[in-house]
Amino acid sequence: MNTGQQTTRRLAAGAGRSVCRSCKDTLSRKYASAAAAAVQTDDSSQHIPPVSQTQDSFRINTGVVLSRPPQITRDLHPLESAFFLYQRRLNERTALPFTRYFYYKKRTTADLEWKRKIKERLTPARDIGRYKGYGDEAWNDELLVGAKESDIHHQVEKLIEDAEDTGSPDGDVAPASNASGTKKEADKIERPMPRITEADLKNDVKSLSRQLQRTLYLLVKDKEGRWIFPQDTFGKETLHNAAGRILVDSCGVNMNTWVVGNAPIGHYQRDYLDALKTASGFNEVGAKTFFMKARIMAGQANLKDNKLGLTDFKWLVKDEIKNEVDRHYWHSVKNMLAER
């Protein structure tokens, strides 16, 4: 007699005639199936294959994606530049119907200065050429393609010259240059810093002063000759602390850096051609590197006394990194890098 039949008989005996025939059949089938499943489970447990004494393992590394963020705004798209120029010209043209006394009080220094400058340049426009809004040619107000007035550098220079060329309080032109013909120091206005630096012109990949519009990333050459992000074996520490240690061990203490967050932003797996036997008896078949994000605030990398056997370093943008690193490495790290 199986377990299901015994259970059915006990229930029937305890309940007397209160259990119907269909309930007895259901209980019998249900517990008989459960007992059969239990027997099969016990049998299958006896055939579990033995666990292999030699297991495959991976070396765990911590990598650091150290970056310098953009320092200046990006160049305007040609459409943005054209729209910006259009809006500025439109503002100047719509201001012409208003009398100048709407902006300046009569016989003030600002009013006299405005009259003097209008007499010289023949237009209220300071940086986009001359325009006579009340003549027969007032309709002819279009800039030709390639005109110097549409160049942003020309516009900036004209605005600075206009600011430097100040007049005297009585409306007469003040001497803007000394006897040698050069601008007086008091009247000179400092020009904006160039967007293209000397490091850009020399293509100095070790300088942090290049590619100011984009994000630079630190790449180092390891003892095997591979270009990678700084990395080292992960020890008994957190990923955050390991990233800080690796930056010091690889690039020295003369960098002010900040490790962002406690979680990795990506990982890379490298499989070995031949497994390595470790001291603990495992077969090391590859290495997995988990990357932490970090920013450089000041300083510069110095590999002179590095502890990781590094031989060289570069500061590169995303497009340049693709041409330096291994193809498989690139596919693992590309989505961690900013386009700009």
Side-chain angles (χ1 to χ4, degrees):
M1 184 181 297
N2 57 32
T3 305
Q5 292 174 342
Q6 293 176 356
T7 305
T8 304
R9 286 178 177 271
R10 286 197 299 269
L11 290 173
R17 297 180 180 178
S18 61
V19 180
C20 64
R21 181 180 298 275
S22 62
C23 293
K24 293 179 182 180
D25 295 338
T26 302
L27 290 171
S28 178
R29 289 194 300 268
K30 179 179 179 181
Y31 284 94
S33 301
V39 172
Q40 292 177 2
T41 303
D42 294 339
D43 293 341
S44 62
S45 62
Q46 299 175 1
H47 300 286
I48 298 176
V51 179
S52 175
Q53 298 300 322
T54 304
Q55 297 183 1
D56 294 339
S57 65
F58 287 84
R59 179 185 297 272
I60 304 300
N61 297 326
T62 302
V64 187
V65 181
L66 181 65
S67 62
R68 186 227 64 190
Q71 303 298 295
I72 59 176
T73 57
R74 63 172 176 82
D75 288 335
L76 293 178
H77 186 275
L79 178 61
E80 294 174 323
S81 181
F83 183 77
F84 182 64
L85 176 61
Y86 168 77
Q87 288 292 331
R88 188 165 67 251
R89 299 183 76 209
L90 182 63
N91 290 336
E92 290 186 343
R93 299 317 185 247
T94 54
L96 287 178
F98 292 92
T99 175
R100 72 173 184 273
Y101 302 126
F102 180 83
Y103 304 99
Y104 307 110
K105 188 176 180 180
K106 283 186 177 181
R107 291 182 293 277
T108 60
T109 302
D111 180 41
L112 296 175
E113 176 71 4
W114 192 86
K115 288 171 60 178
R116 182 187 68 81
K117 289 188 175 182
I118 287 295
K119 184 177 180 181
E120 290 180 357
R121 62 187 179 222
L122 304 179
T123 177
R126 298 187 299 271
D127 55 335
I128 52 176
R130 295 180 176 179
Y131 172 66
K132 193 172 183 179
Y134 302 105
D136 295 337
E137 295 294 321
W139 60 270
N140 188 12
D141 189 29
E142 295 296 327
L143 284 179
L144 300 178
V145 175
K148 64 180 181 180
E149 288 82 6
S150 63
D151 181 58
I152 185 65
H153 301 290
H154 174 82
Q155 298 168 14
V156 170
E157 191 63 28
K158 287 299 181 183
L159 287 172
I160 294 176
E161 289 179 2
D162 186 80
E164 289 177 340
D165 189 14
T166 56
S168 60
D170 59 357
D172 297 331
V173 178
S177 58
N178 52 28
S180 61
T182 59
K183 287 280 185 181
K184 297 189 299 182
E185 289 296 330
D187 296 334
K188 295 184 76 171
I189 295 178
E190 188 173 352
R191 265 60 177 173
M193 294 293 293
R195 299 176 68 86
I196 304 298
T197 65
E198 184 178 356
D200 287 315
L201 299 177
K202 295 181 178 179
N203 195 27
D204 184 4
V205 294
K206 285 182 168 51
S207 173
L208 283 164
S209 299
R210 63 186 293 265
Q211 296 283 356
L212 298 181
Q213 303 179 40
R214 302 191 61 185
T215 303
L216 288 178
Y217 296 95
L218 177 65
L219 234 64
V220 295
K221 180 184 285 188
D222 64 6
K223 51 189 175 183
E224 299 178 13
R226 298 175 300 144
W227 284 101
I228 57 173
F229 294 119
Q231 68 177 44
D232 192 17
T233 304
F234 178 69
K236 296 181 179 180
E237 54 193 341
T238 64
L239 288 173
H240 184 97
N241 293 338
R245 172 184 60 81
I246 291 169
L247 289 177
V248 174
D249 290 347
S250 59
C251 303
V253 297
N254 293 324
M255 287 197 310
N256 182 6
T257 59
W258 170 47
V259 180
V260 184
N262 296 308
I265 59 175
H267 85 285
Y268 163 67
Q269 178 176 325
R270 179 190 177 195
D271 297 325
Y272 299 156
L273 295 177
D274 298 317
L276 303 177
K277 193 73 172 180
T278 63
S280 56
F282 292 98
N283 285 333
E284 187 175 297
V285 297
K288 292 184 179 181
T289 303
F290 294 89
F291 295 99
M292 299 294 290
K293 180 180 180 180
R295 293 284 202 190
I296 180 171
M297 316 302 291
Q300 176 60 288
N302 185 358
L303 306 184
K304 181 179 179 181
D305 298 320
N306 79 88
K307 302 177 182 179
L308 305 180
L310 307 178
T311 59
D312 201 0
F313 75 93
K314 293 180 180 180
W315 290 98
L316 305 176
V317 298
K318 181 176 181 178
D319 302 337
E320 297 170 333
I321 293 176
K322 180 180 180 180
N323 300 324
E324 296 291 343
V325 300
D326 179 76
R327 181 171 59 91
H328 297 290
Y329 192 86
W330 168 249
H331 284 299
S332 297
V333 305
K334 65 179 181 179
N335 291 331
M336 300 186 299
L337 311 180
E339 294 293 339
R340 181 177 172 264

